[in-house]
Amino acid sequence: MSTHPSDHEIESIAGWMIEASLARGAMMADVLYSSGDATHFSLRDGSPERDTRGSSFRIGCRVIDGEGRQGVADMNALSRDELEKMLEICLQNCQASEPETDVALYKGKPPEGGGPVIFDPDREKVSHPEREARCMEMHRIASEIDKRVVSVRDTSWADGSGKTLYATSEGFLGWYEDTYAACSVTVVMSEGESFEMAGSGAESRKVGILDHSLVARESVERAALTLGGSPLPTGVYDIVLDPEAAASLVESVGELFLASSVFKQRSLLKDRMGEKVGSGCLTIVDDGTLPWGLGSSPWDGEGVPTGRTVILEKGKVSSFLYNLKYANKFGVPSTGNASRSPGSLPGVGFSNLFVEPGERSHADILRESGGRVLVTELMGVHTIDPVSGDFSLGIKGALIESDGMPRRPVTGMTVAGNLVDLLGSINEIGRDLRFFGDIGGCTMLVRDVSMAGS
């Protein structure tokens, strides 16, 4: 049972903290409060491993002085003595920080209409026996679908709900509620001397969207696809990225569009606004207003309403993603992409980042891809050099036969090159948009990729 304080109590505390901050020398102040209830149940090889239920909250305060210095502190207590200590730490942190230009608070009000749909009342109807039953069913399906499965290492279900308050000395005061649900399966397969571990998962803010039986089947399919894999001869291949592999690429590309990275010269896109850096079929969007999106919310970490921002349009750089500070530095409006927790200063982050889908299905693209390599995993995308774009990535997947079916497992190969060249070689985007957390990918056909193998 939730033990969270009432909304009125939190609003009163936030108002006091803001007034006390200003009275003690701050020019501006804001308060961020978040609370949540969560449940997690999992099986390990069919036996209960984790069964947790609980609630938590966190409250944080940020103060800004006349020279742009910022201080932040947070805690999970609400007594006046503890709040006084937190406020003192916050002010001390402000005094110890460096002056900054362009730090500001949002001067608007919460958007009318409540923002995107991100709260599912059906989450409260999920009983604990139901969570256990879904995990047991996932375990059964994964165990029975292929005799080569030697272990259903993990089956898990989690769901929760949360509330967020944001208040500022500029008069902003708003609440929103959200929910989430997630399930996952990890299996180990064996054939001869070969072993392969793979998994699948799904997440949503809406419980009814999750298909836990599909997740169980996909985990086995992904393991079977690469079981016993070996490298192909070194050469130049066309490759087909499945939606999950494509999503990992989209996330790495998206980081180049964060205004903080651009300003700090940690992005190869600096001074390239309007330039073509990718294929004409490639459009990447960040959208915090998607119904049920895991990255959706009515406003960002600074109260700025979220929105839809096309960052790469038909291969051309069309926008970066900004919070208030970096928007002021670049002389543009914020895109509503401030990212923060109660105990952190605002940074720049994604909401829901995804590639715009094309017209053909995954199966249609595979059907015409004989001799190409289906890539289900790109390993090492975090090592892509953000300034030069150079990369060297490992892959897992399978060679696609003439009938369009991926059959020969492929592992132990490396893809190396430059990110701009890779983006320019994307020949087609599938229509099968799928989100993995807040990142969405589609099937991608990429031409003439150099791959090192046997």
Side-chain angles (χ1 to χ4, degrees), residues 1-4 35-39 53-57 123-124 159-163 178-180:
M1 181 177 179
S2 174
T3 58
H4 300 308
S35 65
D37 298 284
T39 300
R53 281 164 281 186
S55 62
S56 62
F57 68 84
R123 181 260 162 178
E124 296 181 358
D159 57 75
S161 62
K163 294 186 73 171
D178 57 29
T179 53
Y180 76 91

Side-chain angles (χ1 to χ4, degrees), residues 210-278:
L210 295 187
D211 185 343
H212 60 281
S213 61
L214 176 62
V215 168
R217 291 192 293 272
E218 284 186 343
S219 67
V220 177
E221 291 169 1
R222 292 182 72 84
L225 191 68
T226 56
L227 178 63
S230 60
L232 299 171
T234 295
V236 177
Y237 295 84
D238 290 349
I239 64 174
V240 179
L241 302 178
D242 79 354
E244 187 166 356
S248 68
L249 178 63
V250 169
E251 183 174 17
S252 291
V253 172
E255 291 176 356
L256 303 176
F257 288 83
L258 302 180
S260 51
S261 297
V262 176
F263 183 81
K264 297 173 184 177
Q265 302 188 49
R266 297 174 184 169
S267 169
L268 59 85
L269 301 181
K270 181 177 173 60
D271 299 323
R272 302 185 73 168
M273 184 67 70
E275 288 189 23
K276 190 168 186 179
V277 297

Side-chain angles (χ1 to χ4, degrees), residues 93-144:
N93 289 339
C94 179
Q95 294 172 5
S97 67
E98 295 295 323
E100 292 187 81
T101 58
D102 302 313
V103 176
L105 293 182
Y106 177 58
K107 297 184 182 300
K109 302 295 183 182
E112 297 181 2
V117 181
I118 54 176
F119 182 83
D120 180 13
D122 288 342
R123 181 260 162 178
E124 296 181 358
K125 302 175 184 178
V126 180
S127 68
H128 205 58
E130 194 175 347
R131 297 180 183 104
E132 296 177 7
R134 290 177 180 179
C135 285
M136 292 299 296
E137 185 177 6
M138 288 189 288
H139 179 269
R140 179 187 61 77
I141 292 171
S143 299
E144 297 175 353

Side-chain angles (χ1 to χ4, degrees), residues 300-344:
D300 69 359
E302 295 176 314
V304 178
T306 56
R308 174 184 169 91
T309 306
V310 179
I311 58 176
L312 188 73
E313 186 170 17
K314 296 181 179 180
K316 292 184 179 180
V317 179
S318 54
S319 178
F320 298 132
L321 299 176
Y322 304 92
N323 65 3
L324 284 171
K325 183 175 80 170
Y326 286 100
N328 288 335
K329 289 183 182 298
F330 282 87
V332 298
S334 171
T335 56
N337 284 91
S339 175
R340 65 185 292 199
S341 67
S344 70

